[in-house]
Amino acid sequence: MYKSVLKEESCEITIKKSIFIANLSPVSNEEEAESFISKIREEQPQARHHCYAYIIGEDRLTQKYSDDGEPQGTAGMPILDILRKKELTDVVVVVTRYFGGILLGASGLVRAYSESCNEVTQISQEILKKEFLDIMIKIDYNNLGKFLNYCEDKKLLIHEKDFLEMVNVNIYVPKEDYESFRSDIMNITSGKALMEVLDEVLIDTIGDKLYI
């Protein structure tokens, strides 16, 4: 389980006539991150700097940043530091600067790029990426009502139902809850349910809501 962001966001701040535009996006690998950076460059070719940072992977081991012509350590690393502090991953932030004619100095640049990244992460919707099991359950019609009530009470997502000789139900269950789920279903059905784990999947979640 780890934190990321739901969708692309952007914001703009002005500091001593320089305009800083922060663009954020969820990504799943370095190729997507680099593609997003290239897209921002193409969309705003007149800007002087496109500084960025990204973190990839559940282990957060893939990390990269660039000052893109700003003094070393004043842009990319401050952006990366904000992402680290917020414990985000699978995310890229590009801060585009239009120079306003007033020099900010090294400390001023650090504050500006940090603030830009902080602003765009604040308006973004954080998600938790959680491991779920995709489970297929065969259940008899007599126990279907109790089973559906249980799933509604536990806020479990049923994503497929087939009404055959028995009802075949496909459901997502948090991996850490599998043993208690299995025990509950066996109690509900007096041990008559047939259960098979089909797959392990990583799903974006906000609270009890799943984004498939």
Side-chain angles (χ1 to χ4, degrees):
M1 182 169 65
Y2 56 96
K3 292 196 300 183
S4 188
V5 294
L6 180 62
K7 59 185 178 69
E8 291 186 19
E9 298 288 357
S10 66
C11 69
E12 177 181 316
I13 63 174
T14 300
I15 299 175
K16 293 184 178 180
K17 297 185 179 181
S18 281
I19 298 172
F20 295 83
I21 303 170
N23 287 277
L24 166 151
S25 179
V27 291
S28 58
N29 52 54
E30 285 193 80
E31 290 74 20
E32 289 184 7
E34 294 292 342
S35 177
F36 182 76
I37 295 164
S38 296
K39 184 186 79 167
I40 298 301
R41 291 184 187 276
E42 291 170 2
E43 289 176 349
Q44 303 187 66
Q46 303 304 316
R48 178 171 290 193
H49 305 284
H50 299 282
C51 306
Y52 66 82
Y54 58 77
I55 301 176
I56 308 290
E58 182 176 4
D59 54 14
R60 299 166 58 84
L61 292 180
T62 301
Q63 301 187 10
K64 185 176 178 180
Y65 66 91
S66 171
D67 295 314
D68 193 37
E70 294 282 30
Q72 184 176 357
T74 62
M77 181 56 76
I79 297 170
L80 185 63
D81 283 342
I82 294 296
L83 299 182
R84 287 172 172 171
K85 288 175 183 176
K86 292 180 178 286
E87 299 181 335
L88 295 172
T89 189
D90 286 355
V91 61
V92 57
V93 172
V94 183
V95 180
T96 297
R97 182 189 181 191
Y98 288 88
F99 182 57
I102 300 175
L103 297 176
L104 301 182
S107 60
L109 287 172
V110 170
R111 286 194 298 271
Y113 282 100
S114 297
E115 183 179 342
S116 296
C117 184
N118 189 57
E119 288 284 335
V120 78
T121 55
Q122 282 186 339
I123 66 173
S124 68
Q125 179 67 70
E126 281 191 9
I127 59 172
L128 281 180
K129 289 181 174 286
K130 297 177 63 175
E131 289 183 315
F132 283 77
L133 299 178
D134 186 3
I135 300 173
M136 193 272 285
I137 301 170
K138 292 186 177 181
I139 192 168
D140 62 55
Y141 285 84
N142 291 334
N143 290 309
L144 181 60
K146 290 187 291 184
F147 171 77
L148 294 176
N149 288 337
Y150 170 85
C151 292
E152 183 178 358
D153 181 61
K154 296 292 185 180
K155 296 182 172 60
L156 298 173
L157 177 60
I158 295 172
H159 61 94
E160 189 173 342
K161 289 198 289 276
D162 289 320
F163 295 91
L164 305 172
E165 183 177 348
M166 298 180 74
V167 184
N168 294 352
V169 179
N170 288 71
I171 186 170
Y172 291 123
V173 176
K175 186 174 181 180
E176 68 268 20
D177 296 339
Y178 173 68
E179 292 302 330
S180 61
F181 171 80
R182 181 180 178 82
S183 177
D184 289 343
I185 298 307
M186 290 301 144
N187 288 333
I188 288 172
T189 64
S190 301
K192 295 180 181 179
L194 302 175
M195 191 177 305
E196 179 184 359
V197 176
L198 302 178
D199 198 6
E200 293 188 18
V201 293
L202 198 63
I203 297 178
D204 297 342
T205 67
I206 299 176
D208 296 322
K209 190 171 183 179
L210 277 60
Y211 290 81
I212 307 299

